[in-house]
Amino acid sequence: MAQEAHGAIYDLLAVRGVSRRDFLKYCSYVAAMLGLSEAAAPAIAAAVEKGSKLKPALWLNGGSCTGCTESMAQVDSPDVATIVLELLSLNYFETVMAAAGEHAEKNIQDTIAAGGYLLIYEGSVMTGEDGNTLLVNGHKGTDILKEAAESADAIIAVGACAVDGGWVAAHPNPAGATGVQAFLDVEGVKTPVVNIPCCPMNPEWVVAMVVQWLLVAEDDPATFLAKTELLGKSYDDRLTGRNVTLLYPKYVVGSTIHDNCPRRGHFENGDFVTEFGSAEEAMGYCLYKVGCKGPQTFTQCPITRWNRSVSWCVQSGAPCIGCGAISWVDNNTPFFKRLSSMQMGDGLGYVQPGSVAAVVGGVAAAALVAHGLGMKAAGRIGPDGPPTETVKKHDRKRQAKGGDK
Amino acid sequence: MAGHAHYREAHPLVFVITHWINLICMIMLAFSGFYIHYPFFGGFMGVARGMHFVAMYVIIINLTFRIIAAFFVKTATDLGSHQVDTDIKNWLPQEKNKHQFFETVKYYIFLRKEAVISAKYGSLQKIAYLATIPLTYLMAYTGFAIYGPTMTWGLFSGGVEMVGGPMNMRIIHYFMMWVFIVFTMIHAYLANIYNFKPSKIIFAWKESE
Ligand code: HEM
Ligand code: HEM
Ligand code: HEM
Ligand code: SF4
Ligand code: SF4
């Protein structure tokens, strides 16, 4: 069927200079992300074509730097990913839409009233200042999210901020930021949320989830959940104090960066960069010693890569800073140190685990030497050892009191 | 206490062997652990990890064997004695250790002159030896929680979630190494402070009067 496919999508692609072949190639790439074989590509193409004309969507921005939008829009030439997303009927996308003011607000309200849309949410949910942030025409950002979430078929939380608050929620979190799932748990909204990690998120992963929806969901959230390979990961949300379970596409978070890293061979051989700007760095050695968080970070960056598969952090020479992790800023700073520093208490600063350990080890060694000198001074050392009591002190005391009854 | 004779009954050959395995594994684990923590010279990561991954299984099996053997092997009931009984009885706190804990502490911080009566091991020593058991298993737990093939098992991923992520688990594993280092420092110090007779028996299985 897809072989014969033509119509709106191909016209649009043609206008952008994307051939049908490019499009199918892209579809097989998406198929791989969804854990399908390449044979699924035509079905994906068909689903995109069919769905794109039907599926309304909203893209809301929360507390963030808009980097995810930027990541989506970084294209300088026709890009299949953006076209696919454009083909969703995106009724509201603050940063890039043409509509403004009342007209734009009406688009949101109409979409919510009609229901049956996908909600893409970028940025953290800021609950600080009693929620008086991200105000649009007097509506609190948190209220808009809640309303839009309640009537959505499904939510795609894009980027670390939407996942668990991201850098906005980093200590001391003055904005009271948290993730979409944590917020909806508190509000009792049950709409399924699929999380796309990283700061910013990878556009291909978002496209894969949109395509997955068009492909399998039959407009039913339950069917979507049943037919999509998802992985649940729980964490304790510090702001809400709740244990929150996040759903991720399994493809995205199934293995560590370290496991797929092209520099892994250097890691095993023990070829490390110790200093930036060194000969080792020029040779592309492993960045473990300069703080690479790849071994602890579960995302698919080395395989999907970034900017339309041109490169990614480690390939471009920077250690992974672990932006795909939960509480990624607090858990992974300083970026250029192997282990994160520990906070000693508010205002007391941070300390590296190695420094603590060296102090403890040093104190123990010094104490033993001092104790040994004491033992010698007390005359306890030698082949005969110290004099030993013949009766326990406890028993001596009891005997003095009159012995056993 | 330290002036007594050291006979083989105190540490039968199996326990001399388990102790050697313990020591060798610990040295391998700590050395490779330090290296994994921060590779201080080049070209060794594959070997270091291999070493760590072998020694970690050996030490767990060895410890488990040591515990099971305690129920079957007989060891000396007292310092400088040939009389034996099932090892586990001598390992756990006994009648002779009763009321001696604070006295032992006082002795070591020079608040009393005479050494205290103890069984085969003093009360502090028993606490320390017993504590190494959960400590080693906990070390294994934190280790498997950061070990690729096992870290996604529910048993371990639950723990990772509890401590707030794999980075924190690594830091805990790293700190626990220091607990072992400090333990071994104190242990080696106390074992040899009076004279080297205890070491002769535990390492070379040589008796001394
Ligand atoms: C008993 C069972 C043990 C297991 C299963 C275990 C397992 C592991 C694993 C899987 C790693 C990570 C290696 C990598 O990702 O390349 C590791 C690292 C390490 N291990 Fe162990 N280990 C054990 C015992 C020990 C002991 C006894 C010590 C020290 C006395 C130790 C010290 C370390 C250190 C310092 C690291 C590096 C941590 C870091 O900085 O990231 N381990 N261990
Ligand atoms: C105030 C602190 C402590 C005191 C007063 C103390 C006291 C003692 C005493 C009296 C013994 C018996 C020594 C002998 O007669 O052979 C002993 C043995 C031992 N203690 Fe402690 N201890 C202390 C802390 C620790 C700690 C923190 C550890 C380990 C983490 C430890 C590990 C050991 C070990 C392994 C032995 C056996 C040594 C041997 O083989 O003879 N002790 N300690
Ligand atoms: C510096 C290295 C070490 C030295 C010099 C040393 C010395 C000794 C000595 C002399 C004894 C006999 C104690 C007595 O009869 O009172 C002993 C027993 C023991 N040591 Fe060590 N040791 C060392 C390392 C270790 C390590 C790394 C561990 C494990 C973490 C360990 C665990 C034990 C245990 C559990 C016993 C009781 C013996 C048994 O019944 O199995 N030792 N050690
Ligand atoms: S650069 Fe990072 S992810 Fe790559 S092998 Fe080294 S430590 Fe692992
Ligand atoms: S490689 Fe690391 S720092 Fe780079 S995007 Fe992926 S998780 Fe973030």
Side-chain angles (χ1 to χ4, degrees):
Chain A
M1 46 170 193
Q3 280 79 351
E4 297 303 314
H6 46 73
I9 186 162
Y10 292 100
D11 294 344
L12 241 152
L13 290 168
V15 169
R16 304 289 187 112
V18 178
S19 71
R20 189 172 157 276
R21 200 165 152 271
D22 287 342
F23 179 65
L24 280 177
K25 210 171 110 197
Y26 185 78
C27 288
S28 56
Y29 175 61
V30 170
M33 273 194 263
L34 296 173
L36 304 171
S37 84
E38 269 188 34
I44 289 175
V48 169
E49 193 201 0
K50 178 168 141 271
S52 61
K53 281 175 266 165
L54 300 175
K55 199 65 191 168
L58 292 177
W59 183 304
L60 296 185
N61 282 71
S64 77
C65 66
T66 322
C68 290
T69 301
E70 208 59 54
S71 182
M72 205 73 218
Q74 37 67 32
V75 287
D76 58 356
S77 58
D79 174 74
V80 189
T82 21
I83 293 170
V84 169
L85 278 180
E86 269 177 28
L87 284 168
L88 276 179
S89 177
L90 265 173
N91 296 346
Y92 186 94
F93 192 164
E94 211 159 63
T95 323
V96 298
M97 67 193 173
E102 272 177 35
H103 181 62
E105 296 322 305
K106 189 169 175 304
N107 280 351
I108 294 195
Q109 292 313 324
D110 290 350
T111 309
I112 291 175
Y117 54 92
L118 288 181
L119 171 62
I120 300 177
Y121 190 89
E122 166 187 3
S124 64
V125 185
M126 301 203 290
T127 64
E129 311 289 340
D130 293 324
N132 285 307
T133 53
L134 303 167
L135 288 173
V136 178
N137 196 16
H139 295 304
K140 293 177 179 178
T142 44
D143 291 343
I144 299 174
L145 167 60
K146 189 182 171 201
E147 238 179 278
E150 272 167 345
S151 315
D153 272 351
I155 302 163
I156 306 181
V158 299
C161 297
V163 171
D164 72 338
W167 61 262
V168 187
H171 184 84
N173 194 1
T178 188
V180 171
Q181 186 71 67
F183 173 73
L184 295 183
D185 279 3
V186 172
E187 299 293 325
V189 177
K190 299 272 186 285
T191 314
V193 181
V194 175
N195 293 278
I196 309 293
C198 286
C199 185
M201 94 302 180
N202 193 318
E204 324 296 351
W205 300 338
V206 183
V207 170
M209 274 306 107
V210 170
V211 168
Q212 176 73 1
W213 175 275
L214 300 176
L215 200 58
V216 305
E218 292 157 16
D219 269 336
D220 174 36
T223 313
F224 173 73
L225 290 182
K227 289 193 176 170
T228 307
E229 268 200 286
L230 297 170
L231 201 74
K233 290 197 178 195
S234 305
Y235 78 105
D236 287 316
D237 187 70
R238 282 172 298 178
L239 189 81
T240 62
R242 280 168 175 252
N243 188 273
V244 178
T245 300
L246 301 172
L247 288 181
Y248 292 93
K250 189 169 176 204
Y251 169 81
V252 175
V253 297
S255 56
T256 62
I257 292 191
H258 189 58
D259 281 342
N260 297 312
C261 180
R263 300 194 185 200
R264 179 60 180 265
H266 287 309
F267 172 85
E268 294 295 340
N269 289 341
D271 304 331
F272 298 105
V273 175
T274 307
E275 226 181 302
F276 289 112
S278 61
E280 287 79 12
E281 193 196 354
M283 286 188 282
Y285 282 1
C286 167
L287 299 165
Y288 188 72
K289 282 170 80 174
V290 284
C292 184
K293 307 296 188 296
Q296 291 90 247
T297 309
F298 290 75
T299 48
Q300 210 58 341
C301 309
I303 293 179
T304 315
R305 291 176 291 171
W306 293 77
N307 300 339
R308 282 166 303 130
S309 301
V310 171
S311 184
W312 63 288
C313 306
V314 169
Q315 191 179 341
S316 67
C320 164
I321 57 176
C323 75
I326 299 283
S327 300
W328 77 272
V329 174
D330 291 337
N331 267 340
N332 291 318
T333 43
F335 293 149
F336 296 157
K337 287 270 189 333
R338 255 225 67 225
L339 298 182
S340 65
S341 290
M342 297 174 308
Q343 203 194 355
M344 294 188 293
D346 269 319
L348 289 178
Y350 294 82
V351 61
Q352 274 279 294
S355 315
V356 177
V359 169
V360 170
V363 167
L368 287 184
V369 170
H371 195 264
L373 294 176
M375 294 287 272
K376 189 145 180 80
R380 291 174 181 176
I381 294 176
D384 298 330
T388 304
E389 62 188 358
T390 46
V391 182
K392 286 185 193 173
K393 188 169 172 199
H394 178 84
D395 296 338
R396 261 178 304 184
K397 271 195 197 151
R398 271 169 40 146
Q399 276 158 10
K401 273 196 214 152
D404 283 330
K405 293 190 190 115
Chain B
M1 59 196 312
H4 58 81
H6 290 76
Y7 300 128
R8 287 182 171 177
E9 283 85 347
H11 301 291
L13 193 56
V14 266
F15 293 152
V16 169
I17 294 169
T18 53
H19 188 259
W20 265 113
I21 295 175
N22 247 346
L23 179 61
I24 292 167
C25 283
M26 274 295 168
I27 290 171
M28 282 170 61
L29 284 164
F31 175 73
S32 58
F34 263 116
Y35 188 89
I36 297 166
H37 171 65
Y38 192 79
F40 37 89
F41 57 93
F44 196 67
M45 185 55 91
V47 184
R49 295 180 78 229
M51 193 189 263
H52 210 81
F53 298 157
V54 169
M56 73 194 194
Y57 288 113
V58 176
I59 201 161
I60 297 162
I61 294 167
N62 186 56
L63 174 69
T64 310
F65 172 80
R66 173 68 184 81
I67 296 168
I68 296 169
F71 291 89
F72 299 101
V73 178
K74 288 186 189 316
T75 52
T77 54
D78 216 331
L79 300 168
S81 164
H82 284 297
Q83 200 192 334
V84 293
D85 200 353
T86 313
D87 180 59
I88 188 71
K89 290 189 195 159
N90 302 320
W91 198 1
L92 295 173
Q94 288 159 304
E95 181 60 34
K96 270 197 160 180
N97 300 113
K98 242 187 185 171
H99 308 300
Q100 293 296 69
F101 178 78
F102 289 110
E103 295 305 316
T104 316
V105 173
K106 273 187 185 161
Y107 168 77
Y108 272 96
I109 55 174
F110 305 105
L111 289 183
R112 59 171 280 160
K113 261 205 155 73
E114 283 184 319
V116 297
I117 287 182
S118 71
K120 183 187 164 201
Y121 298 137
S123 42
L124 279 170
Q125 204 175 354
K126 282 188 176 168
I127 293 171
Y129 286 167
L130 287 173
T132 54
I133 300 171
L135 216 58
T136 309
Y137 284 127
L138 194 63
M139 191 72 185
Y141 180 83
T142 59
F144 282 120
I146 56 172
Y147 185 47
T150 51
M151 64 185 158
T152 49
W153 296 8
L155 175 65
F156 300 114
S157 62
V160 171
E161 178 197 319
M162 209 173 73
V163 302
M167 173 58 85
N168 295 350
M169 195 56 108
R170 283 191 96 101
I171 295 175
I172 292 171
H173 192 71
Y174 173 72
F175 275 144
M176 283 192 60
M177 169 173 79
W178 283 90
V179 173
F180 275 96
I181 290 173
V182 171
F183 165 85
T184 308
M185 276 162 51
I186 298 173
H187 170 61
Y189 165 78
L190 288 171
N192 298 304
I193 180 70
Y194 300 112
N195 48 57
F196 292 105
K197 289 176 190 172
S199 282
K200 262 195 194 150
I201 190 87
I202 196 86
F203 290 117
W205 214 36
K206 284 231 168 67
E207 300 192 335
S208 38
E209 284 302 323

